[in-house]
Amino acid sequence: MSTALLRTIQPNHFTLLGTALLRRTSRSNISVRCSGSQATTTTTHEAKQPSQSRVAPKNHGSNKLDEILRDYEAVIGIETHVQLSTFTKAFCSCPNNYGSEPNTSICPVCMGLPGALPVLNSKVVEFGVRLGLALNCGLSLSSKFDRKQYFYPDLPKGYQISQFDIPIASGGYVDVDIPLEFGGGHKRFGVTRVHMEEDAGKLLHSDTGDYSQVDLNRAGVPLLEIVSEPDMRSGIEAAEYAAEMQRIVRYLGVSNGNMQEGSLRCDVNVSIRPIGQAEFGTKVEIKNLNAFSAMSRAIDFEIKRQALLYNQGQEDQIVTETRLWEEGAQKSVSMRKKEGLADYRYFPEPDLPEVILTQDYVDSIRATLPELPEAKRRRYEAMGLGMQDVLFLANEASVADYFDAVIGEGAEVKLAANWLMSDIAAYLKNEELSINDVKLTPKELAALIAAIKDGTISGKIGKQILFELLAKGGTVQGMIKAKNLVQITDPAEIEKMVLKVIAENPKQLEQYRNGKTKLQGYFAGEVMKMSKGKANPPLLNKILVEKLNAKD
Amino acid sequence: MLSTLQPPRSLSLLPLRRFHCSKTIVSAASSSPATTSDAASVSPPQSQILTTRRSLLSGETTASEIAKSYLSRIRLTEPQLKCFLHVSENALKDAEEIDQRIARGEELGPLAGVIIGVKDNICTEGMPSTAASRILEHYRPPFDATAVKKIKELGGIVVGKTNMDEFGMGSTTEASAFQVTANPWDLTRVPGGSSGGSAAAVAARQCMVSLGSDTGGSVRQPASFCGVVGLKPTYGRVSRFGLMAYASSLDVIGCFGSTVADAGMLLHAISGYDRFDSTSSKQDVPEFESQFLSVDRFESKPLKGVKVGVIRETLEEGVDSGVRSATQEAASHLEALGCVLTEVSLPSFSLGLPAYYVIASSESSSNLSRYDGVRYGNQVMADELNKLYECSRGEGFGGEVKMRILMGTYALSAGYYDAYYKRAQQVRTLIRKDFKAALEQNDILISPAAPSAAYKIGEKKNDPLAMYAGDIMTVNVNLAGLPAIVLPCGLVEGGPSGLPVGLQMIGAVFDEEKLLKVGHIFEQTLKGSSFLPPLLPNVA
Ligand SMILES: [Zn+2]
């Protein structure tokens, strides 16, 4: 429980402002003199019988710890909040833009002024349906909103509009491929439900800790909350589940899925139990997970912590609590103990009508769903690509689309994958660009691959012009012509250069002929240099060996 | 026989006579059909909206003159009545603007120059809007409620904000944090509530019409207590945007007038779908005005064949005998006008009151959470967050509000939800079904508007259950979402010159038109029907 107390007060500026419309552009600070711990906003749900998948949690601790861990099974469930990338907020027409000046994107509705009423943004429903379908859920053709009630300064109405007993989607699953370095394998994790709700504002604390201010730009921003079944068994599985959620929301275009900005937030529940025990252990919630790797480490830390307590006969010290992950220290600390369940006094939101979906509407949205990551992975796998390639290519929709376009132009699958995974990926990383930013079209990448394959240019030349094509665009053929890059495949021409190099290096020749045959590489390099990299390498080597070994 | 009916009093001292007494189009005696009363006849009440329109268009008077006369009347009568929490500084300026438009020959809105009071829980841009609560003291909203916006667009002049029970919670207007409003018929009595200020202001002719809000009878019961017309529209007919929520699933903005026509025309002005309120209806709003024929155009049995159901449960014990007989007289009057009367029973009737208090309290406990002292309104200095909430709300809310928040919080708590809130919703479904069945057999249903006439100030203050029981006639209508109108039908003994009693007519969903038609004919043919309160002592 935070004990920072706020003593200074700023006047309320809101009542001095003009009209509702002016509010969107006017800036004001909302102040509150107190801070405290944030009321918990998680939804509890009944844990189901766990699935049979058993993956021993990986850890790099001592053998002793490994032994202890072998006796326990971790049970992990995740609540994911996804901020939707709608143009406007969920229940008012304020722009939904991250990073604006505090309190510049607010209106009477999202400020909770007296008399203001929510009006549902239909995009939120559309996105909810899209995500529900993508997660293989059943949809509620008739759902409703409820009020979840608690007091906190970032919650202007004193309640959050959410969905309680009838979520828009439920009973789905998500498929993931565990990377090889973590043991590999295909896993399916259950999705309990997806529901629509609104985000709260943000508290900004003063440097001195004397007061806090409320920024309501985020208040009323639409969220989808995805609750998983308690199906994960290790930090890696949980991180892969979350990463797949990110992929899916990005593929669907419903969210930017950015964890740093808080567009994708995961709260994790971890419990362990001795292997063979049916009942669940006490559930501990971990928050403040800003990256998948942090999530994985935080969970493994928690599993170890609980296993050690169990092992020392201190399982009673595993209590229902919320722990905060501290990335710097690589450990979690207790934030607050939960004493009994919070009572949110849910009841149906009387200001909003039921959300009725027609089958036609659902079908029309289903028809616009893109190929999802799992389908892409299976397709790439069927093309004969290795799992590492598959996971890389399907990770981002834009990369996958690019890859599909390149092979659509007739490029060989494995070669296209190699180019994307090595040189192009490195270039994008260095330049901090996305695949959509490069000037090289999929068609020209296919042309480049073809030109190397048919021997028009060497692989080395290919790499050289790749970077120019990426940065400036143009065609492969045009560049080959303009720079006269066509590979030299005329044996007579290559022979001339070989002889010239041998003649210019009598000392090396003598050494070679005295048995230092490693010098063949030196000669080959000199010939290649002379040809400006255009000599066909197999031909060059063949002629070179011939001439070096010739008895004259 | 309306034996208790008193001869009407005119407010002769004030310069307002022309709005209710002058220019009688037709003598009621000569053309109205036979009724049950042969008391000394007076001319039927005239629509103040239509009278204003006529006199502005004919140039007989100006909007400024009208506004000045009302403002001076407010000045004269407010010290006794205390109907207003705030009187607009701009009313005269607004009126002058209308006069300029007339001078320029511009078209006038149907409410041009109409002097309108607005209940204080309805937002008016830049004008204090406090819901009579300390927690919103000095709060000025940055926007107009949709109903207010429409009124202004049609030329209506908002003259001020009327007193009420804090956040609409009460039936006497004594629960206002700021003042107690007196009933113009008897200054020692309450005007009813929660829209007591709006009702009393119309009764005292401090404004021509006014807006109220009705969650469980808050328009209809004060209309009955003050002898004016109170119209509660169908839920969804009028946008709630800008109405400070008490119980969102029950709240409606309603209209007060001294005639059915005025209430109806005001309703027409504020009705219709509003994209800022998703519970507002897209149902067409009919042109009510054609219903308001003058008496000389009535047929001999103008309500011939209209089926009227008298709700049996509303005339059983617990209802004052004077109220009961006034209701029976009213029924006879309707019969004389051609209506076919039958008695109907609503078996779920008595379940409504507890269900209403559970639902209304539950929703209010949630709706009032936003008054936390953080962003606007009353904030009490504290050095810890929970203390800030505790003190701001503890000092900002009055006792009645706190009690209802506590009741509602309890009813929604885990473990109690099913027993209270859910059960109340089931009762609500039952009530809706019973009303629907009764309205399939009848065009309208009638009942008293309240079990008694106005209480003495302080009489029910320490007996909340007795006060809640007074809502028995009206809450069911809110639970069913139906339209209803209350109009004065007689006087009972009490006060210096009797106390008015209202008749409630309940219609089918979105059938305000029928209520207005029946109500108008009833009003125009009721003998001795000028329900004007006696002179206020200091004015006399
Ligand atoms: Zn907004």
Side-chain angles (χ1 to χ4, degrees):
Chain A
M1 185 74 68
S2 163
T3 52
L5 304 181
L6 310 176
R7 288 172 202 285
T8 60
I9 173 153
Q10 318 259 323
N12 293 322
H13 298 285
F14 286 112
T15 52
L16 305 175
L17 290 174
T19 65
L21 286 171
L22 278 176
R23 281 180 185 272
R24 305 236 174 88
T25 49
S26 61
R27 289 169 49 185
S28 46
N29 291 317
I30 313 173
S31 293
V32 52
R33 291 162 291 128
C34 303
S35 77
S37 67
Q38 175 148 24
T40 175
T41 60
T42 56
T43 314
T44 55
H45 57 96
E46 288 303 312
K48 288 195 186 160
Q49 198 61 26
S51 67
Q52 288 306 301
S53 68
R54 281 235 23 233
V55 169
K58 283 210 167 261
N59 66 83
H60 309 285
S62 66
N63 289 337
K64 175 94 174 39
L65 188 56
D66 282 346
E67 264 169 45
I68 293 171
L69 284 168
R70 232 169 269 143
D71 296 336
Y72 298 96
E73 177 185 56
V75 176
I76 301 156
I78 303 179
E79 285 157 19
T80 311
H81 287 88
V82 176
Q83 240 178 34
L84 301 183
S85 52
T86 51
F87 288 119
T88 54
K89 292 187 182 182
F91 301 111
C92 62
S93 49
C94 289
N96 170 17
N97 39 13
Y98 176 82
S100 310
E101 284 288 310
N103 294 319
T104 54
S105 197
I106 55 173
C107 74
V109 177
C110 56
M111 283 174 68
L113 290 191
L117 294 171
V119 176
L120 177 61
N121 178 349
S122 61
K123 272 281 170 197
V124 178
V125 177
E126 185 191 320
F127 285 7
V129 171
R130 274 176 89 76
L131 186 59
L133 290 173
L135 296 177
N136 310 291
C137 289
L139 294 174
S140 307
L141 292 185
S142 164
S143 70
K144 64 181 173 82
F145 284 98
D146 300 277
R147 291 184 182 177
K148 176 180 182 174
Q149 311 191 64
Y150 62 91
F151 283 98
Y152 201 63
D154 65 5
L155 191 70
K157 299 187 292 295
Y159 55 83
Q160 177 195 30
I161 303 178
S162 181
Q163 292 193 292
F164 179 50
D165 51 346
I166 312 176
I168 190 161
S170 55
Y173 60 84
V174 60
D175 288 309
V176 303
D177 287 289
I178 307 293
L180 289 170
E181 62 266 37
F182 298 112
H186 186 260
K187 287 264 152 57
R188 174 167 291 185
F189 301 126
V191 169
T192 313
R193 55 184 280 163
V194 178
H195 71 250
M196 305 180 277
E197 62 184 27
E198 59 178 340
D199 212 339
K202 255 185 206 162
L203 279 197
L204 309 169
H205 302 285
S206 71
D207 294 336
T208 55
D210 285 348
Y211 63 95
S212 297
Q213 292 174 299
V214 190
D215 174 10
L216 292 178
N217 283 349
R218 203 178 67 178
V221 164
L223 299 176
L224 289 174
E225 179 176 331
I226 307 144
V227 181
S228 83
E229 291 290 302
D231 288 350
M232 281 66 78
R233 294 289 172 268
S234 66
I236 280 302
E237 288 191 0
E240 283 304 315
Y241 166 90
E244 184 69 2
M245 280 303 153
Q246 185 186 56
R247 258 174 238 127
I248 290 171
V249 298
R250 286 177 171 174
Y251 266 62
L252 294 172
V254 302
S255 171
N256 66 25
N258 190 326
M259 283 183 112
Q260 260 70 47
E261 290 177 6
S263 303
L264 184 91
R265 308 195 284 266
C266 295
D267 298 334
V268 175
N269 287 303
V270 181
S271 66
I272 67 166
R273 59 182 168 187
I275 294 215
Q277 178 182 306
E279 307 87 64
F280 290 133
T282 304
K283 206 161 67 173
V284 172
E285 185 184 46
I286 314 171
K287 282 178 180 274
N288 196 31
L289 303 169
N290 296 322
F292 301 131
S293 55
M295 182 185 291
S296 174
R297 286 193 303 271
I299 290 169
D300 289 342
F301 176 89
E302 181 60 23
I303 294 170
K304 281 176 208 161
R305 192 183 71 86
Q306 293 186 17
L308 283 172
L309 286 171
Y310 249 111
N311 190 248
Q312 291 156 9
Q314 295 176 314
E315 63 255 47
D316 59 337
Q317 294 202 10
I318 306 170
V319 295
T320 308
E321 63 179 331
T322 298
R323 298 179 70 87
L324 274 190
W325 177 247
E326 291 185 346
E327 184 64 23
Q330 291 290 300
K331 64 176 183 130
S332 65
V333 292
S334 184
M335 182 171 99
R336 77 171 160 259
K337 312 258 189 251
K338 290 180 184 170
E339 281 149 20
L341 276 178
D343 184 357
Y344 293 117
R345 290 173 286 116
Y346 279 102
F347 80 106
E349 166 58 280
D351 288 332
L352 291 167
E354 272 180 281
V355 179
I356 307 290
L357 310 175
T358 64
Q359 195 55 50
D360 280 355
Y361 174 77
V362 173
D363 291 343
S364 72
I365 288 176
R366 195 191 297 275
T368 66
L369 288 185
E371 185 185 30
L372 291 164
E374 170 65 7
K376 279 212 198 298
R377 290 193 296 261
R378 298 287 73 85
R379 185 160 61 82
Y380 293 160
E381 199 176 28
M383 286 174 177
L385 290 171
M387 189 46 69
Q388 208 182 350
D389 295 6
V390 167
L391 291 179
F392 174 85
L393 292 170
N395 188 46
E396 271 181 57
S398 54
V399 172
D401 289 347
Y402 192 94
F403 171 72
D404 285 340
V406 174
I407 58 174
E409 292 289 340
E412 198 178 294
V413 168
K414 183 66 190 160
L415 293 176
N418 287 347
W419 280 96
L420 276 165
M421 284 186 66
S422 53
D423 297 278
I424 296 178
Y427 172 81
L428 295 178
K429 201 173 170 197
N430 287 339
E431 305 290 316
E432 292 180 353
L433 293 174
S434 99
I435 190 81
N436 294 326
D437 300 326
V438 303
K439 300 274 171 28
L440 172 67
T441 62
K443 192 176 169 203
E444 290 307 315
L445 178 56
L448 183 64
I449 292 167
I452 296 167
K453 204 181 166 210
D454 68 15
T456 311
I457 56 172
S458 67
K460 199 172 168 192
I461 295 277
K463 281 192 182 183
Q464 280 167 18
I465 66 173
L466 171 74
F467 294 104
E468 204 167 335
L469 287 166
L470 284 167
K472 295 181 187 154
T475 65
V476 175
Q477 284 312 318
M479 205 164 284
I480 289 171
K481 268 195 203 122
K483 301 198 165 184
N484 190 23
L485 298 173
V486 178
Q487 195 163 202
I488 300 165
T489 49
D490 176 1
E493 205 176 325
I494 292 175
E495 190 180 323
K496 235 191 278 173
M497 288 188 282
V498 167
L499 291 174
K500 190 152 184 260
V501 166
I502 289 174
E504 283 170 0
N505 294 284
K507 218 159 128 193
Q508 284 83 356
L509 179 66
E510 198 185 325
Q511 285 172 347
Y512 177 89
R513 289 192 175 160
N514 287 338
K516 206 169 172 188
T517 52
K518 268 198 279 182
L519 280 169
Q520 184 194 329
Y522 168 78
F523 284 103
E526 290 300 302
V527 177
M528 202 44 114
K529 220 186 271 170
M530 189 175 283
S531 76
K532 297 195 176 100
K534 291 189 291 184
N536 176 289
L539 205 54
L540 182 155
N541 277 316
K542 184 171 159 266
I543 295 169
L544 180 63
V545 171
E546 232 170 72
K547 296 298 168 195
L548 286 173
N549 297 332
K551 304 270 178 334
D552 47 5
Chain B
M1 295 290 282
L2 296 176
S3 52
T4 54
L5 191 68
Q6 307 282 312
R9 314 295 173 101
S10 67
L11 295 151
S12 52
L13 197 93
L14 291 155
L16 287 168
R17 294 189 57 175
R18 61 174 172 275
F19 292 113
H20 52 83
C21 302
S22 66
K23 295 211 293 179
T24 306
I25 298 167
V26 157
S27 145
S30 65
S31 63
S32 67
T35 68
T36 52
S37 170
D38 56 4
S41 76
V42 291
S43 37
Q46 297 292 300
S47 155
Q48 299 194 49
I49 293 177
L50 290 177
T51 307
T52 302
R53 198 183 296 169
R54 268 196 301 271
S55 52
L56 286 182
L57 289 177
S58 68
E60 189 189 324
T61 184
T62 64
S64 316
E65 275 178 59
I66 296 173
K68 269 183 212 154
S69 73
Y70 274 90
L71 287 168
S72 80
R73 183 169 178 80
I74 288 172
R75 263 195 305 278
L76 279 169
T77 53
E78 259 310 87
Q80 280 70 45
L81 291 176
K82 301 194 177 74
C83 297
F84 285 91
L85 290 173
H86 175 80
V87 177
S88 169
E89 308 88 11
N90 293 325
L92 202 54
K93 219 180 77 210
D94 295 344
E96 283 161 5
E97 241 164 71
I98 287 164
D99 288 332
Q100 284 158 19
R101 294 186 65 167
I102 295 172
R104 289 195 298 266
E106 287 173 29
E107 208 171 303
L108 291 182
L111 294 181
V114 174
I115 305 296
I116 304 173
V118 175
K119 191 177 181 181
D120 202 39
N121 61 349
I122 300 173
C123 290
T124 43
E125 186 179 337
M127 207 186 271
S129 304
T130 69
S133 180
R134 203 58 82 186
I135 208 159
L136 283 176
E137 197 170 4
H138 309 307
Y139 174 72
R140 287 170 193 253
F143 62 93
D144 275 329
T146 300
V148 171
K149 189 165 156 266
K150 287 185 170 201
I151 282 174
K152 288 182 177 174
E153 281 166 4
L154 299 178
I157 295 170
V158 175
V159 73
K161 304 304 292 289
T162 57
N163 196 25
M164 57 184 285
D165 289 298
E166 184 177 3
F167 286 107
M169 299 178 185
S171 310
T172 63
T173 311
E174 291 165 288
S176 165
F178 304 112
Q179 63 198 31
V180 174
T181 298
N183 189 319
W185 290 81
D186 176 355
L187 297 178
T188 67
R189 289 178 191 269
V190 298
S194 66
S195 312
S198 287
V202 169
R205 305 310 192 252
Q206 292 179 322
C207 55
M208 298 179 193
V209 290
S210 63
L211 292 183
S213 67
D214 191 317
T215 305
S218 284
V219 162
R220 289 160 290 156
Q221 183 254 27
S224 176
F225 281 17
C226 292
V228 296
V229 176
L231 177 55
K232 177 236 175 263
T234 309
Y235 184 83
R237 178 63 100 183
V238 178
S239 167
R240 291 186 295 117
F241 187 78
L243 169 66
M244 297 177 190
Y246 162 17
S248 312
S249 73
L250 302 163
D251 293 342
V252 290
I253 291 181
C255 306
F256 290 99
S258 54
T259 60
V260 172
D262 285 339
M265 284 186 281
L266 182 58
L267 175 66
H268 185 266
I270 63 173
S271 289
Y273 173 71
D274 177 15
R275 66 191 179 91
F276 295 113
D277 174 6
S278 358
T279 63
S280 69
S281 167
K282 290 187 172 157
Q283 191 87 18
D284 280 340
V285 184
E287 189 56 67
F288 302 133
E289 215 171 305
S290 53
Q291 300 296 335
F292 309 130
L293 297 174
S294 60
V295 158
D296 57 334
R297 293 175 61 192
F298 291 169
E299 295 158 17
S300 67
K301 294 269 183 191
L303 294 178
K304 197 168 172 212
V306 173
K307 287 181 279 181
V308 175
V310 184
I311 304 172
R312 183 197 301 154
E313 288 81 0
T314 64
L315 293 169
E316 287 171 353
E317 58 185 300
V319 180
D320 282 7
S321 60
V323 169
R324 196 179 304 153
S325 60
T327 308
Q328 279 153 355
E329 297 286 353
S332 306
H333 181 54
L334 283 169
E335 203 164 26
L337 291 167
C339 293
V340 183
L341 262 62
T342 48
E343 197 181 75
V344 299
S345 172
L346 298 173
S348 59
F349 189 83
S350 63
L351 304 176
L353 200 60
Y356 166 79
Y357 273 98
V358 168
I359 292 170
S361 301
S362 297
E363 292 185 13
S364 71
S365 72
S366 173
N367 284 328
L368 270 58
S369 294
R370 66 184 60 197
Y371 306 108
D372 56 7
V374 173
R375 297 168 310 286
Y376 48 78
N378 177 324
Q379 186 184 60
V380 175
M381 296 283 264
D383 52 12
E384 192 262 324
L385 182 61
N386 283 330
K387 255 305 173 276
L388 168 89
Y389 289 144
E390 219 176 283
C391 298
S392 297
R393 288 167 68 81
E395 293 178 24
F397 289 138
E400 184 65 32
V401 170
K402 282 180 199 161
M403 182 158 69
R404 295 200 196 188
I405 290 175
L406 284 172
M407 287 200 298
T409 303
Y410 182 82
L412 289 177
S413 295
Y416 298 100
Y417 181 88
D418 286 357
Y420 294 105
Y421 189 79
K422 204 169 157 196
R423 196 136 154 251
Q425 290 292 8
Q426 288 161 347
V427 168
R428 189 173 186 173
T429 308
L430 217 63
I431 287 168
R432 212 173 262 162
K433 237 173 58 195
D434 283 355
F435 265 113
K436 193 160 182 277
L439 284 162
E440 273 161 10
Q441 304 296 316
N442 294 282
D443 292 298
I444 62 166
L445 306 175
I446 61 168
S447 77
S452 72
Y455 326 125
K456 286 274 191 186
I457 288 170
E459 187 181 331
K460 308 262 171 171
K461 231 182 161 179
N462 297 316
D463 192 356
L465 283 180
M467 193 180 73
Y468 296 173
D471 298 337
I472 186 132
M473 301 296 172
T474 46
V475 291
N476 286 294
V477 176
N478 296 79
L479 290 170
L482 299 173
I485 191 167
V486 163
L487 61 170
C489 67
L491 296 172
V492 296
E493 272 173 49
S497 59
L499 297 170
V501 165
L503 175 72
Q504 175 172 237
M505 299 179 180
I506 303 162
V509 168
F510 292 112
D511 200 2
E512 286 87 357
E513 200 172 7
K514 195 175 289 155
L515 289 178
L516 290 167
K517 179 185 172 180
V518 175
H520 174 72
I521 291 171
F522 178 95
E523 164 198 273
Q524 295 290 311
T525 54
L526 194 66
K527 286 287 180 279
S529 57
S530 279
F531 282 89
L532 280 171
L535 289 174
L536 298 167
N538 77 317
V539 177

